[in-house]
Amino acid sequence: MAVRDRIAALRGRQAQVHVEMEQILTASEGNDNGDLTAEQQAQYDALAAEDDRLTAGVAREEDMERRRAAAARPVAALPTGNPHGVGSVPAQAAQKLEAGIGFSRLVQAVASTKGQGGMQAVLDYSEKTWGSTFAAAAADNMEQSVDVQGGFLVNTAYSSDLIEALRPVVAVRKMGALSVPMPNGNLTTRKQTSTSNAQWIGERAAIPTSAPQVGNVTMSAKKLAALVPISNDLLRYNSIQTDNLVNNDVTREVAIAEDQQFIRGAVSVSAPTGLRYLANASNVIAANATVNVQNVRNDLGKLRLALTKNNVPMLRPGYIINPTLVEFLSQLQTSTGALAFPEIADGRIGAFPYASTTSVPDNMGADGNQSELYFADFSQIMVGDALQTTLAVSTEASYVDGEGVTRSAFQNDETLIRVIEGVDLAARYDMAIAVLAGAAWFPGAVAGQ
């Protein structure tokens, strides 16, 4: 495990220790005089000692990281010849790459070396293709995995690069859900289960306890695997266009899977539970069957009220909606012929932003003409990211394309990339999500329009 990953693991455990210490203190509030019992004190002291050890461990790892940086050497001298057909690139100044490009280049390096020669072959290819600066960064941020089929474990920096590329194309991430690291693939944190209460009291009367009811939410990495076929012709002619194409292909495959699961994924032990099923049942609202301007406004108001009446902080509120419903709202007119929602052209529904995605179906209901709207305070939604992505390649494997046809990578002169990431989704407060179900909002749905 790399130094940075060990630091992340230590800090992750330290965060859990702090939660457990806080839970002990919260539990002690019900004791006489608010003192800890002997058992609680022993538990607290043990956690405090562990916290001290973790702090010392982080300091040691950070010291080791500084020593490694001071003693860093350039990538080993390259062998003579050029087996990959790519011209050598001299050392370059560090450059800021667009989100996903660094990850895309690692994909290309692994694919072009076909997993042969291990990490050194990947680094040699990176050196020749993108220069020593990128190769040194790659060396610092990858470890060879135990996968004998040519798999590589991509560490925190480049896994984060993939996440940054996903952020603008995965609706839940785009709307501001909080990305939280899951050290060792797990994270336990607190969630709110009800609002607090305050009361007026008389002279010298005891003050009642006034605090939100809380519980625990446990996140664990769910394995998302994507197969991405890449033309070997594309790999042979490297350019910034190739970087972008590979980035787009990988990002698209992972984003589609995340988008669909994060929004409507059913409760499962192997995949994240989506917003639809994280929402409190009382916040799933049936749309008015009669479609007109006033009823549409009323339904949107019900979604907002479902959050505000439960004291949701509304730090990053917004909608997720199907493109068909966006088109409907953009055309909807009042009785005077004015647009009912002119602000939709600016990316808002009323005062709140929206994200449009086909991952919200528009063919639900008995007649196949209904959709859903999601309104949430995305500051209360957490995307757990394990920050360790695995890459593997094959030129012989087969895959099923979008039309259900089995294709051979070897026969089609392609390299098949397998990308595996660990993610989960959770809500800190289930009342922070509201769903409008059965919305038959389609262009032409309003009589006379």
Side-chain angles (χ1 to χ4, degrees):
M1 184 181 290
V3 172
R4 293 180 184 177
D5 293 327
R6 292 197 294 269
I7 292 174
L10 289 169
R11 286 176 173 162
R13 175 54 190 160
Q14 195 167 33
Q16 290 179 306
V17 167
H18 292 164
V19 169
E20 293 172 20
M21 294 173 73
E22 186 176 353
Q23 288 173 340
I24 292 173
L25 294 177
T26 300
S28 72
E29 294 174 359
N31 301 340
D32 293 339
N33 300 321
D35 292 337
L36 298 176
T37 64
E39 181 181 3
Q40 289 171 333
Q41 186 65 59
Q43 292 173 342
Y44 187 89
D45 290 344
L47 289 168
E50 183 179 1
D51 183 43
D52 291 340
R53 290 194 297 272
L54 291 167
T55 298
V58 170
R60 284 194 299 271
E61 295 293 349
E62 290 177 339
D63 179 68
M64 185 63 209
E65 188 173 37
R66 286 191 294 270
R67 293 175 187 276
R68 279 189 58 196
R73 294 177 299 164
V75 176
L78 302 176
T80 58
N82 194 339
H84 305 296
V86 180
S88 179
V89 177
Q92 301 170 343
Q95 57 176 319
K96 176 67 174 177
L97 300 175
E98 293 183 11
I101 297 300
F103 186 84
S104 167
R105 289 181 175 180
L106 290 182
V107 169
Q108 293 174 70
V110 173
S112 296
T113 58
K114 303 297 185 286
Q116 305 300 314
M119 177 58 67
Q120 189 58 52
V122 171
L123 297 180
D124 287 350
Y125 182 90
S126 299
E127 167 82 9
K128 295 172 184 179
T129 310
W130 300 293
S132 58
T133 299
F134 180 82
D140 215 24
N141 290 291
M142 285 185 70
E143 294 176 349
Q144 187 169 8
S145 77
V146 295
D147 185 349
V148 296
Q149 299 301 317
F152 290 88
L153 182 65
V154 181
N155 290 334
T156 303
Y158 284 103
S159 294
S160 298
D161 188 47
L162 174 61
I163 291 169
E164 287 304 310
L166 291 171
R167 195 177 304 281
V169 290
V170 177
V172 172
R173 293 184 186 271
K174 180 179 181 180
M175 293 306 296
L178 180 64
S179 177
V180 294
M182 292 189 295
N184 301 318
N186 295 283
L187 177 68
T188 299
T189 187
R190 300 176 75 181
K191 69 175 180 179
Q192 186 172 339
T193 58
S194 69
T195 58
S196 59
N197 295 298
Q199 301 178 27
W200 296 101
I201 60 174
E203 183 70 21
R204 302 182 65 184
I207 301 175
T209 300
S210 176
Q213 298 298 308
V214 298
N216 286 335
V217 55
T218 300
M219 306 178 76
S220 61
K222 310 298 193 299
K223 185 166 74 172
L224 170 59
L227 290 176
V228 185
I230 298 177
S231 166
N232 287 331
D233 285 337
L234 191 63
L235 294 174
R236 294 184 188 109
Y237 301 105
N238 181 270
S239 66
I240 188 62
Q241 287 77 16
T242 303
D243 292 344
N244 288 324
L245 286 170
V246 173
N247 180 30
N248 292 343
D249 285 350
V250 173
T251 301
R252 181 183 64 248
E253 295 298 324
V254 176
I256 290 173
E258 280 197 0
D259 222 17
Q260 292 173 344
Q261 195 67 31
F262 286 177
I263 296 172
R264 300 201 81 253
V267 178
S268 169
V269 296
S270 60
T273 300
L275 297 179
R276 176 63 177 79
Y277 300 100
L278 288 175
N280 189 289
S282 64
N283 273 12
V284 180
I285 301 164
N288 195 308
T290 302
V291 181
N292 58 44
V293 173
Q294 190 56 54
N295 285 342
V296 168
R297 293 190 187 280
N298 290 345
D299 284 344
L300 293 173
K302 291 176 184 178
L303 287 182
R304 298 190 297 271
L305 185 60
L307 272 62
T308 56
K309 73 180 181 182
N310 285 291
N311 297 324
V312 174
M314 303 293 278
L315 298 178
R316 287 195 290 274
Y319 295 93
I320 295 179
I321 183 173
N322 181 278
T324 301
L325 272 65
V326 173
E327 187 64 24
F328 166 81
L329 293 174
S330 71
Q331 296 180 17
L332 188 61
Q333 298 179 6
T334 67
S335 58
T336 63
L339 291 176
F341 296 92
E343 72 283 356
I344 203 161
D346 298 322
R348 292 178 292 107
I349 299 175
F352 303 104
Y354 70 86
S356 172
T357 173
T358 56
S359 293
V360 179
D362 62 359
N363 60 351
M364 294 185 285
D367 296 328
N369 66 341
Q370 296 179 1
S371 187
E372 294 174 336
L373 282 84
Y374 292 78
F375 184 71
D377 179 3
F378 289 92
S379 71
Q380 303 300 303
I381 309 301
M382 298 184 297
V383 178
D385 289 302
L387 295 177
Q388 287 192 332
T389 306
T390 303
L391 294 176
V393 301
S394 174
T395 56
E396 291 80 30
S398 297
Y399 63 97
V400 179
D401 66 15
E403 299 178 352
V405 178
T406 300
R407 297 172 60 92
S408 165
F410 179 81
Q411 187 174 11
N412 290 280
D413 192 26
E414 294 174 326
T415 296
L416 195 60
I417 308 295
R418 187 186 69 197
V419 181
I420 298 177
E421 67 164 359
V423 294
D424 202 2
L425 190 74
R428 298 183 65 196
Y429 187 24
D430 61 3
M431 302 305 292
I433 308 165
V435 183
L436 185 68
W441 297 358
F442 288 78
V446 179
Q449 292 189 10

